[in-house]
Amino acid sequence: MKSLLRPARLGPGARVAVVAPSGPVPEERLQAGLDVLRGWDLDPVVAPHVLDRHATFDYLAGADADRAADLQAAWCDPAVDAVLCARGGYGVQRMIDLLDWEAMRAAGPKVFVGFSDITALHEAFARRLGLVTLHGPMAAGVDFLKNARAQDHLKATLFAPETVRVIASGGSTPMVPGRARGVTLGGCLALLAAELGTPHARPSARGGLLCLEDVGEEPYRIDRYLTQLLRAGWLDGVAGVLLGSWEQCEPAEPLRPLLADRLGGLGVPVVDGFGFGHCAGALTIPFGAAAELDADAGTLTLDEPALR
């Protein structure tokens, strides 16, 4: 697995588009997020359908075609330097096949940020555009609005990525000790399992440093997702595994034996509690970047800054 093309970092006055590819966005949280971005001396613009809600399925931020059109228009706008997702939820899988990937590739690289349901887009951006993306806080997310660590780490990644080449959770523990080199990838476990066999998902995690997290899942479902990835051969040749947060899933201790049971047999370093995903103060993790994982030290060291 090779590292991907790095977009340019942001500078003062950069225009960032906020889109909602998944679930509906509370207006007050969106406005608060825009205020944070303006405080960073960015110029945020809101896509036309961000505050929409689907007429029949109220878990979607408007119609599939409108959500796809917002993302594509923002990406293809030469005045836009970055595209930030407003929130996750569910809905990317319904709109992703409506995107014109040829047009988006022709528009050139730019920064893309999101997590959770946005995992499906991280996979597609890697496979279709060959682009480094940022698994990080979203513009209308509660963690982004209220947590200084989440804000500061994302801001440093966007503006001064050389200052966060070493990403340390500060609270991780090695499940399987050791060091490993590879290219970062991953996201929400449920989405990675759901994407298997689709046109935009990579065929395997071979050569990768796989980042996994999820929210609100029963242990048996986490077991099922991991077992599906194992049975499909998707984890064959993975170089190392970083486990993020498992919010509202189960207390950490009962989950740990399950994760060790499913992942310990891979014979690669595995680190638990790395501090990305749905947790408070979530770290921003670049996907598509060559890096070294030190499970014992709890560090992920990027070969070069996430953004150029």
Side-chain angles (χ1 to χ4, degrees):
M1 187 180 295
K2 296 180 179 179
S3 58
L4 304 181
L5 180 65
R6 296 178 299 148
R9 70 186 65 197
L10 301 186
R15 175 163 288 189
V16 297
V18 177
V19 299
S22 301
V25 180
E27 184 172 7
E28 65 279 5
R29 282 183 13 202
L30 174 65
Q31 294 303 326
L34 296 175
D35 287 342
V36 172
L37 297 174
R38 292 187 188 105
W40 293 358
D41 200 17
L42 293 172
D43 176 22
V45 293
V46 179
H49 299 284
V50 166
L51 293 175
D52 285 6
R53 187 178 291 259
H54 196 283
T56 306
F57 309 120
D58 64 1
Y59 49 82
L60 298 172
D64 299 340
D66 290 338
R67 300 196 316 280
D70 276 2
L71 174 55
Q72 185 163 320
W75 194 263
C76 293
D77 184 346
V80 168
D81 302 295
V83 175
L84 280 57
C85 296
R87 62 155 295 190
Y90 168 74
V92 165
Q93 288 182 303
R94 292 177 54 115
M95 55 75 80
I96 194 169
D97 296 320
L98 303 177
L99 296 169
D100 183 340
W101 292 100
E102 292 299 323
M104 292 175 69
R105 185 181 299 111
K110 56 187 67 177
V111 176
F112 179 74
V113 186
F115 77 105
S116 194
D117 191 57
I118 309 304
T119 295
L121 284 169
H122 283 298
E123 282 285 282
F125 274 59
R127 188 147 194 221
R128 298 300 182 191
L129 305 183
L131 192 64
V132 168
T133 55
L134 302 180
H135 182 276
M138 293 180 280
V142 173
D143 192 45
F144 176 69
L145 299 179
K146 296 186 176 182
N147 194 287
R149 175 171 124 148
Q151 286 187 15
D152 291 347
H153 198 254
L154 175 59
K155 183 180 180 182
T157 305
L158 292 174
F159 288 92
E162 66 281 352
T163 67
V164 285
R165 271 189 58 199
V166 178
I167 303 172
S169 71
S172 62
T173 55
M175 185 174 287
V176 180
R179 295 188 178 196
R181 290 192 53 79
V183 174
T184 53
L185 76 155
C188 184
L189 172 60
L191 266 295
L192 292 170
E195 279 290 288
L196 283 178
T198 65
H200 306 301
R202 72 190 82 211
S204 83
R206 181 174 296 276
L209 296 176
L210 177 60
C211 303
L212 296 176
E213 63 91 32
D214 217 316
V215 62
E217 295 285 3
E218 295 287 337
Y220 81 91
R221 293 173 66 91
I222 293 173
D223 187 326
R224 184 169 70 197
Y225 300 142
L226 291 171
T227 300
Q228 173 69 0
L229 295 179
L230 287 164
R231 293 181 65 221
W234 198 79
L235 296 176
D236 292 354
V238 70
V241 181
L242 297 85
L243 301 173
S245 63
W246 305 95
E247 293 293 303
Q248 303 169 38
C249 292
E250 190 79 8
E253 285 311 309
L255 265 186
R256 191 174 170 86
L258 167 59
L259 296 168
D261 176 81
R262 295 289 75 194
L263 299 170
L266 293 172
V268 301
V270 180
V271 64
D272 190 21
F274 205 82
F276 60 87
H278 289 82
C279 56
L283 298 168
T284 297
I285 307 291
F287 284 170
E292 180 177 79
L293 167 65
D294 186 332
D296 302 83
T299 57
L300 179 71
T301 303
L302 306 176
D303 286 5
E304 54 189 358
L307 306 178
R308 55 183 171 81

